[in-house]
Amino acid sequence: MVPISYHLILSGILFTIGVTGVLLRRNIIIIFMAIELMLNAVNLSFVALARHFGNMDGQIIVFFVMSVAAAEVAVGLAIILLVFRGRETVNADELNLMRW
Amino acid sequence: MDFVTFFALAIPLVVIAIMVIAHPSPVYSALFLVLTLFLLAVYFLFLDAHMVAALQIIVYAGAIMVLFLFVIMLLNLQSDTQPTPRHGLGRAAIIGGVILVAELGLLLQRSSSEQAESALPENFGTVEALGSQLFTTYLLPFEITGILLLVAVVGAVVLAKR
């Protein structure tokens, strides 16, 4: 049997890949996908811990994370569409209207 | 889950997740992300989370990724032509990430008091078990989730129509 720490380390690696994506890429849509990757990494550790402790609560939190992610994607992509219509770009560096 | 299964899933998972953020074309990134989500669904099956695995495919790979692909194709995005101008940030991100993973590994190695896994209940992770918990103990959060999704739908329509 694989100990719980292996699952948590894999989750940490996936989360780190997501953070790296957010910091490195300038395309807003790919930044968004990296955020989804981070949410999934967290889901992975929730499911692994639920299995470890024999408790369903972890899986229920995953359900809520998924529905929040769905809501976030719907609104976020609508905002991206709106920004693209006005500015003709999805490069995060060029969207500096609100930069101080 | 035994070690062979773990590594057979974990290694492709990490490689494909890196491809998601490394590939220049957004369409390929989205398709690699779909692959990541499918691999995670298989992973969830091995962790006795049947309902979550099904939801992962239906909601994430089915609904969310289709939305992503629609928007990418609607915007007609080309590949990133210009390289990332801030190489210092990239290097800092990679170094910070490596340190984070190393710290996590060290921490988990230190806490060597690995508890034995608890015995699983009879219907662990099934639709029935998850549903009965959702509709009794977690009824209020469940209803609030419904309102949240309604707000998101209305918000998306209002923003997109503007």
Side-chain angles (χ1 to χ4, degrees):
Chain A
M1 291 297 281
V2 178
I4 180 75
S5 53
Y6 280 59
H7 302 303
L8 295 182
I9 289 173
L10 177 62
S11 165
I13 291 173
L14 286 180
F15 191 89
T16 313
I17 292 172
V19 175
T20 316
V22 170
L23 291 179
L24 283 182
R25 298 303 298 263
R26 295 293 93 202
N27 186 329
I28 299 186
I29 293 187
I30 292 178
I31 291 178
F32 229 64
M33 286 192 234
I35 293 173
E36 294 302 311
L37 205 58
M38 286 193 265
L39 285 170
N40 269 287
V42 175
N43 281 355
L44 172 60
S45 55
F46 270 128
V47 171
L49 287 168
R51 172 76 173 75
H52 184 69
F53 292 112
N55 190 330
M56 291 282 290
D57 289 352
Q59 298 189 6
I60 287 168
I61 290 184
V62 170
F63 171 83
F64 289 124
V65 170
M66 276 184 192
S67 43
V68 171
E72 172 229 338
V73 166
V75 176
L77 288 179
I79 291 174
I80 289 177
L81 270 182
L82 203 64
V83 168
F84 185 77
R85 243 184 257 158
R87 306 287 299 265
E88 293 288 317
T89 179
V90 288
N91 189 325
D93 282 337
E94 291 170 30
L95 303 174
N96 52 7
L97 188 67
M98 293 179 75
R99 184 178 283 175
W100 183 57
Chain B
M1 187 186 269
D2 53 25
F3 280 95
V4 179
T5 329
F6 175 78
F7 284 110
L9 282 171
I11 293 168
L13 203 51
V14 171
V15 172
I16 294 170
I18 290 174
M19 292 300 286
V20 172
I21 62 161
H23 205 283
S25 160
V27 180
Y28 278 91
S29 279
L31 292 176
F32 278 122
L33 187 54
V34 173
L35 211 54
T36 313
L37 298 174
F38 268 101
L39 278 175
L40 271 174
V42 177
Y43 202 104
F44 289 165
L45 279 183
F46 277 103
L47 288 172
D48 292 300
H50 313 284
M51 175 69 172
V52 173
L55 281 178
Q56 174 90 2
I57 290 176
I58 296 169
V59 176
Y60 258 118
I64 295 182
M65 290 321 295
V66 168
L67 207 59
F68 266 107
L69 283 173
F70 260 125
V71 170
I72 291 170
M73 290 172 184
L74 204 62
L75 301 186
N76 193 18
L77 293 179
Q78 305 305 318
S79 305
D80 282 356
T81 44
Q82 76 223 56
T84 315
R86 291 184 266 168
H87 286 294
L89 187 63
R91 227 173 287 144
I94 290 167
I95 292 171
V98 169
I99 291 174
L100 180 70
V101 171
E103 275 181 350
L104 194 67
L106 202 69
L107 194 73
L108 288 170
Q109 201 192 11
R110 284 266 180 83
S111 62
S112 56
S113 59
E114 287 274 356
Q115 292 174 317
E117 287 189 11
S118 316
L120 292 184
E122 181 70 21
N123 52 2
F124 183 77
T126 57
V127 181
E128 185 191 355
L130 203 84
S132 67
Q133 285 244 344
L134 267 183
F135 285 104
T136 52
T137 321
Y138 294 94
L139 185 60
L140 183 65
F142 184 74
E143 298 287 344
I144 294 173
T145 306
I147 296 174
L148 175 74
L149 287 175
L150 180 68
V151 170
V153 169
V154 174
V157 170
V158 169
L159 282 174
K161 274 189 74 172
R162 195 180 281 178

